[in-house]
Amino acid sequence: MTSTPNPPHAARYPAGGLAFPHRDLIGIGQLERHEILFLLDEAEQWVALNRQATKHENLLSGLTVINAFFENSTRTLLSFEIAGKRLGADVVNMHAAQSSVKKGETLIDTAITLNAMRADAIVIRHGSSGATQLIADKVDCPVLNAGDGQHEHPTQALLDALALRHALRARGAAAEDFTGLTIVICGDILHSRVARSNLLCLQALGASVRLCAPPALMPVGIEAMGAEVFHDFDAALEGADVAMMLRLQTERMSGQFIPSAREYHHLYGLTKERLDRAAKDALVMHPGPMNRGVEIDSEVADMIDRSIITRQVEMGVAIRMAALDVLTRRARGVAGWGEAA
Ligand code: NCD
C-alpha cells in the first residue's frame, strides 16, 4: 500500500511541476483546483485501506504529529488521531483545557514550545480566525488547519467533496468534478468556517452554490464570492442536487440571532416535505454535530439512500491521512515530494 496509485486526474496536474507545492494546509483559498483534485485522488488509497480488516501503514513511522486543539472537538480530533495512527506516526493530543494557554501563555509562545519539541506536523484547531497561520509562521514543520474561528476548515471541505464524489459514483455518475450540480448550504453561514471552505471547494470543482440563512446569519457581501444568496429555504431548495445543512453555532453568537430554535426549524429546518422541492434523489449532508429537530429532522438525517452524513465521517479519516502523507513527504525525503505519480 505504499505506492500511490496513478490518480485519474494526473493529466490535469501541471507538467513537471509539483502536484502539491504547499508546506501547510491552511485553507481551500490557497489551493488550485488541480491541488484539490490531487488530495482527493491521494485519499482514495486510504479509503480502500480503511475498509480492510488491518488498517495500518508505516509511512509516517518515527514521525511525531501533535494535535493542538484549543477548541472543543470530537470527530475532527478523533479523525486526525486515527489518521496519524493508521499511518504509523506517534500522535500526541494537546487539549487547551489542560495546556498552559489557561495559564496565560500567548499563542506564539505555545507555537515556539511545540516547535522546540520537534513535531513533524502540527494540527491546530483554534477559536480565532487566522490563528493557524500565526502558528505556521512560527514553526518549522507543516501545519494543518483543523478549523480556525470563522475562517476555514479545509479538511472538512475536502472530506465533503470526497464523500459527494463517492456517493455520485455509487449511482453510476462519472463525477470527475461537480460541474452542473447545484448545492445548497443552509444554516448559520455567518459563523461557519465549514460554509466558507465548502463554498471555495465546491465552486473550484465546478458546482453552483446557493447559500441560505436568515438575514442575521448571512455575511454581508458574501455574493462577491460567487454564491447565490437566499433567505427563503424553499426557494433555495428548488431543483437542488445536494442540501448541506449546518448547525446554529450558538457558542459563537453574542446576542440573539434567531427568535427561537422552534421558529428556526419552521423556516430553515430540513424536513422530508421540504426535501421534496429539491431534485429527485437529492443528497443530504451535514458536517456534524447535528441538532436533530432544529436544522435537520431525524427522518431526513437517517435516510439510507439520500443522507451521506456517516460517509462524510468515513471520508474524513482518509482525507486526513492523505493530507498528513502529502505534507510530510518533504521531511521524509520522498523523491519528488508532492509530485504526481
Ligand atoms: C464543524 C466545525 O467545527 O466547524 N464541525 C466539524 O468539524 N465536524 C461544524 C460545527 O461545529 O458546527
Side-chain angles (χ1 to χ4, degrees):
M1 281 299 299
T2 42
S3 69
T4 304
N6 199 13
H9 296 100
R12 298 204 200 124
Y13 304 148
L18 295 172
F20 200 85
H22 309 280
R23 191 199 71 168
D24 308 303
L25 180 57
I26 304 294
I28 300 294
Q30 74 178 149
L31 303 182
E32 300 286 341
R33 170 191 155 86
H34 64 84
E35 293 163 355
I36 295 172
L37 288 171
F38 175 68
L39 289 176
L40 298 185
D41 291 343
E42 287 287 327
E44 296 289 3
Q45 65 191 303
W46 306 123
V47 175
L49 179 81
N50 291 339
R51 288 178 177 175
Q52 290 173 14
T54 307
K55 308 163 190 63
H56 204 267
E57 176 63 57
N58 274 325
L59 226 50
L60 304 196
S61 165
L63 266 55
T64 303
V65 176
I66 300 183
N67 293 324
F69 276 55
F70 298 88
E71 213 188 44
N72 287 342
S73 164
T74 313
R75 78 196 66 215
T76 306
L77 176 59
L78 208 56
S79 183
F80 267 110
E81 183 173 1
I82 291 171
K85 285 184 170 160
R86 286 196 183 157
L87 289 175
D90 296 317
V91 181
V92 184
N93 294 335
M94 191 201 91
H95 300 277
Q98 296 141 21
S99 75
S100 297
V101 177
K102 288 271 180 256
K103 300 178 191 164
E105 186 173 82
T106 67
L107 190 56
I108 289 175
D109 282 332
T110 307
I112 291 167
T113 304
L114 295 177
N115 199 47
M117 290 175 183
R118 295 193 170 270
D120 298 290
I122 301 177
V123 181
I124 313 272
R125 166 164 289 201
H126 199 282
S128 302
S129 307
T132 316
Q133 185 63 60
L134 192 74
I135 292 182
D137 292 342
K138 298 285 169 208
V139 301
D140 301 313
C141 68
V143 169
L144 292 88
N145 183 5
D148 63 330
Q150 293 159 225
H151 174 228
E152 279 235 39
H153 192 353
T155 57
Q156 179 69 45
L158 292 166
L159 75 87
D160 289 338
L162 191 63
L164 187 52
R165 179 206 253 189
H166 272 250
L168 295 170
R169 287 187 179 164
R171 291 177 170 187
E176 279 291 292
D177 62 16
F178 303 143
T179 302
L181 287 192
T182 298
I183 299 174
V184 179
I185 306 178
C186 180
D188 181 359
I189 309 287
L190 180 67
H191 298 103
S192 178
R193 51 199 177 206
V194 175
R196 195 180 158 79
S197 290
N198 258 302
L199 175 61
L200 293 165
C201 188
L202 294 167
Q203 284 181 334
L205 298 181
S208 300
V209 179
R210 298 177 181 168
L211 297 178
C212 181
L217 293 175
M218 183 69 81
V220 175
I222 191 87
E223 299 87 348
M225 287 180 76
E228 239 189 303
V229 167
F230 290 78
H231 301 302
D232 177 341
F233 191 24
D234 292 316
L237 278 173
E238 211 64 59
D241 302 291
V242 181
M244 183 183 287
M245 304 308 297
L246 302 174
R247 171 180 78 87
L248 291 166
Q249 310 221 347
T250 41
E251 74 279 15
R252 295 190 198 290
M253 295 180 190
S254 48
Q256 189 85 3
F257 280 76
I258 53 153
S260 69
R262 196 155 155 246
E263 174 151 345
Y264 181 82
H265 175 263
H266 181 62
L267 293 173
Y268 296 99
L270 188 61
T271 60
K272 175 72 192 62
E273 298 71 51
R274 244 189 201 127
L275 187 59
D276 288 341
R277 292 180 174 270
K280 189 173 163 289
D281 301 330
L283 295 167
V284 175
M285 304 178 74
H286 196 307
M290 268 191 286
N291 288 311
R292 290 169 183 263
V294 183
E295 74 273 13
I296 190 165
D297 277 5
S298 278
E299 201 191 0
V300 177
D302 301 332
M303 283 173 108
I304 291 177
D305 50 337
R306 313 277 290 273
S307 167
I308 60 168
I309 296 170
T310 47
R311 198 192 290 254
Q312 288 172 262
V313 179
E314 179 192 7
M315 297 300 152
V317 178
I319 279 292
R320 284 152 187 148
M321 289 171 84
L324 286 170
D325 166 24
V326 168
L327 292 179
T328 57
R329 281 183 191 173
R330 191 183 341 200
R332 287 185 284 129
V334 175
W337 60 276
E339 220 165 40

